[in-house]
Amino acid sequence: MVSPKFYQDIEAAKRALGSLPCDWDGKQCVLALKEADYNWRQMEWIGFYFEHKCRSLLQPDFCIPGDRFGTVSFDAKRTFNWDFKSKAIKSDDHKAILNDKSAMEASVERYGEHGGIIALLDVEYNDSNRTFQTWHSQLKGGLSKYERERKERTAVSRYRKTRAILVEILFLHFDASALPLLDTMNQGRNSNGAPRPPKYMIDLEKADKFLVDRLKF
């Protein structure tokens, strides 16, 4: 059951996030992340740009970051812990990765409820000449170790997102009865061979059972 305080968290978030820009140019966003020294080298810039804007706009009403459970810190906390996620909507894959399974369970056990703030975006991708990818690599000072190893394997790199239009933000609610309804994802192993802990995952085509509110743009 969604508590009154959970609704209050959502209303506070909606007031703050209503001023988010809708049209995200990839180069401008990466440069903004670089200026803020916030994960600007990462390929999936839309997720980090959304996190960066949330961190800026939600303070001081929300604590940034939220509680820490083991090695996992949640993105924000007001009354409850919240995660920020983003997802391209025109994709064959409708599943979005949430967070560490045990950490989310611990958050729900402590507070009874846990929240997700998910941005849905209509994205454009790099052209066949990969000009955005080349620009980003040059900005970083050349190819990363991962990219060099990929080229040695002759593996084809993914097309990079060059622009994103913010369509809406979903506010999701998770409690002890909701967690078993989520999917789980096993991520393989770390570089030291240790297994990565599983994460919860949500099928956005079935998100209605967790959806409390939405903010359209």
Side-chain angles (χ1 to χ4, degrees):
M1 181 179 293
V2 183
S3 69
K5 288 186 176 180
F6 196 87
Y7 283 109
Q8 290 170 12
D9 275 20
I10 290 177
E11 288 304 313
K14 287 176 68 177
R15 287 194 298 271
L17 299 181
S19 61
L20 271 169
C22 299
D23 193 344
W24 301 357
D25 175 78
K27 289 184 178 181
Q28 292 179 6
C29 291
V30 169
L31 291 174
L33 291 172
K34 185 175 186 295
E35 183 176 358
D37 194 23
Y38 189 75
N39 293 306
W40 63 274
R41 296 176 180 273
Q42 300 299 319
M43 178 180 71
E44 291 296 337
W45 60 267
I46 65 168
F48 292 113
Y49 183 72
F50 182 59
E51 287 180 11
H52 170 62
K53 296 301 291 184
C54 285
R55 290 166 66 95
S56 173
L57 293 171
L58 290 177
Q59 294 186 91
D61 206 7
F62 285 71
C63 294
I64 307 290
D67 286 345
R68 183 181 182 90
F69 293 90
T71 60
V72 177
S73 293
F74 293 110
D75 291 320
K77 180 188 173 186
R78 193 172 182 267
T79 310
F80 306 97
N81 286 302
W82 291 84
D83 282 310
F84 309 145
K85 303 295 177 183
S86 61
K87 183 67 177 177
I89 55 177
K90 289 184 178 178
S91 169
D92 293 334
D93 178 14
H94 301 114
K95 293 188 176 182
I97 300 171
L98 296 175
N99 212 324
D100 181 273
K101 187 172 181 287
S102 61
M104 286 183 64
E105 290 167 355
S107 180
V108 168
E109 183 178 358
R110 180 177 296 182
Y111 298 105
E113 297 167 274
H114 183 88
I117 299 176
I118 300 185
L120 301 183
L121 301 120
D122 190 1
V123 302
E124 295 179 3
Y125 289 89
N126 208 10
D127 57 66
S128 59
N129 293 323
R130 300 179 185 268
T131 52
F132 179 83
Q133 184 174 344
T134 301
W135 171 84
H136 196 192
S137 294
Q138 291 173 345
L139 185 68
K140 292 186 291 184
L143 295 176
S144 67
K145 178 182 177 182
Y146 170 81
E147 290 170 320
R148 290 195 300 271
E149 291 174 347
R150 176 188 54 75
K151 287 178 73 71
E152 290 173 0
R153 297 194 311 269
T154 66
V156 177
S157 65
R158 289 181 290 168
Y159 280 91
R160 308 296 174 90
K161 300 175 181 70
T162 59
R163 184 185 179 207
I165 304 297
L166 179 60
V167 177
E168 64 178 331
I169 295 175
L170 306 181
F171 297 90
L172 307 180
H173 174 266
F174 307 108
D175 58 17
S177 65
L179 292 180
L181 304 177
L182 294 169
D183 297 323
T184 57
M185 174 187 180
N186 293 309
Q187 295 184 292
R189 296 182 178 275
N190 292 313
S191 57
N192 61 4
R196 293 178 180 174
K199 290 187 174 184
Y200 276 118
M201 179 182 289
I202 184 171
D203 186 342
L204 292 176
E205 290 195 319
K206 303 175 183 177
D208 285 353
K209 65 185 71 174
F210 311 103
L211 182 64
V212 178
D213 205 345
R214 66 204 321 153
L215 182 62
K216 291 184 175 291
F217 289 84

